[in-house]
Amino acid sequence: MTKFVDSPIGQALLHDKDPLLLLKKWQRLERYVHSQHFVEFEFFENCVQVKHKSTAIEQPSLEEDLVVLGVLCALLHETSAHTVYLSRSESVNTGMFSYPALACDQAELNSDEPWYIHWSTSINTSVTSHVAQGKQASSQAIVDNTKQAIIALGLLDIELDKVARYLALSQRSLQRHLSAQGHSFAKLLQEVRVNSASHYLLEQSSCAAEIGFICGFADQAHFSRIFKLWTGMTPKQYAQLSMQK
């Protein structure tokens, strides 16, 4: 996990240091790879109930539960550096397993109760403005700042309202400025995602499937289609051409 969190995909999952966003991004990763196994969450204050399921008739085993839950505990620890607990109870912040201490009470392993992951964090997850926008700011400047905001906020969990708050603008005002320059938010987001993917492909440090996920595409087919629309090449062709050059 220590190696994983420093990888591009680990950095994308942990970009906001927000445990709730992390868990939602995990679900997005499962959809991206069309995983046969998936998790469902029910959120409470500083804890989440986790149901690990499968699209197959045979449901996940206890060992498979523990693999997925262990990875989630490790990722949640990275959001706050506090101890994370896995338990069979919603009401207590202790349980059968703790991370990073790796202490385990095996007596609870075979319980029929649901799984709960508990964490504590002092991180303020509210989005605040980082780019001051005066009333006289030009529409072109706002287009440039919008691109910067999309990158700063992370490509996995990006929406118009979040970017508008970051820029201290209303959604309507932001859309008006973008339209004045012949842009829409959706097209601008596509452009940033394709440019980011191009950068990763040139680095040759990640596979195309991983790059598509960390840049925010819905799945590999979506990544290939949109990338070719903008560049005239598939991600694979682009990477091969860059290697030849």
Side-chain angles (χ1 to χ4, degrees):
M1 285 304 300
T2 302
K3 294 179 180 178
F4 173 74
V5 297
D6 289 330
S7 70
I9 194 169
Q11 292 172 0
L13 289 171
L14 294 164
H15 181 275
D16 306 277
K17 293 294 183 182
D18 182 330
L20 299 184
L21 283 179
L22 163 66
L23 296 176
K24 291 177 181 177
K25 289 176 183 178
W26 180 268
Q27 290 179 311
R28 179 171 182 154
L29 175 59
E30 290 174 331
R31 292 192 296 270
Y32 181 85
V33 299
H34 303 288
S35 175
Q36 185 181 49
H37 285 207
F38 62 95
V39 290
E40 292 181 350
F41 298 123
E42 183 175 354
F43 296 100
F44 303 90
E45 185 177 358
N46 285 345
C47 112
V48 62
Q49 184 187 103
V50 185
K51 294 179 181 178
H52 180 212
K53 297 183 177 182
S54 172
T55 56
I57 296 175
E58 184 178 355
Q59 292 303 296
S61 65
L62 172 63
E63 291 80 6
E64 289 169 326
D65 279 353
L66 294 175
V67 168
V68 172
L69 292 165
V71 171
L72 291 175
C73 285
L75 287 171
L76 285 166
H77 170 72
E78 293 294 329
T79 66
S80 66
H82 293 296
T83 299
V84 178
Y85 298 96
L86 175 65
S87 77
R88 297 286 197 172
S89 171
E90 173 195 345
S91 59
V92 294
N93 209 35
T94 58
M96 58 149 287
F97 172 78
S98 63
Y99 185 91
L102 304 183
C104 183
D105 178 4
Q106 297 188 29
E108 293 190 40
L109 277 178
N110 295 310
S111 169
D112 292 329
E113 297 299 316
W115 294 108
Y116 289 87
I117 300 178
H118 300 258
W119 67 85
S120 60
T121 177
S122 57
I123 302 244
N124 180 3
T125 60
S126 62
V127 177
T128 56
S129 171
H130 293 264
V131 180
Q133 292 288 354
K135 291 184 178 179
Q136 302 303 316
S138 70
S139 292
Q140 182 55 53
I142 290 178
V143 170
D144 295 337
N145 287 335
T146 299
K147 292 179 181 180
Q148 295 172 17
I150 289 170
I151 294 170
L153 291 169
L155 296 174
L156 271 183
D157 183 61
I158 195 70
E159 294 177 352
L160 175 64
D161 63 332
K162 182 181 286 191
V163 173
R165 290 198 304 273
Y166 188 94
L167 297 175
L169 292 168
S170 69
Q171 293 184 51
R172 197 171 188 177
S173 179
L174 177 55
Q175 288 175 314
R176 186 175 66 252
H177 282 293
L178 296 180
S179 179
Q181 293 297 316
H183 294 284
S184 69
F185 180 75
K187 285 293 184 183
L188 207 63
L189 178 56
Q190 271 192 11
E191 180 183 347
V192 173
R193 282 178 165 156
V194 169
N195 285 342
S196 297
S198 301
H199 175 74
Y200 281 116
L201 288 166
L202 289 174
E203 285 186 337
Q204 299 290 327
S205 58
S206 303
C207 67
E210 182 179 358
I211 291 169
F213 173 73
I214 62 181
C215 291
F217 294 95
D219 54 34
Q220 295 180 45
H222 180 234
F223 173 37
S224 184
R225 184 173 67 254
I226 298 301
F227 192 89
K228 187 173 183 179
L229 182 67
W230 280 82
T231 67
M233 293 177 281
T234 65
K236 183 178 180 180
Q237 290 170 334
Y238 186 90
Q240 289 174 340
L241 182 64
S242 68
M243 288 177 67
Q244 292 170 4
K245 288 184 176 181

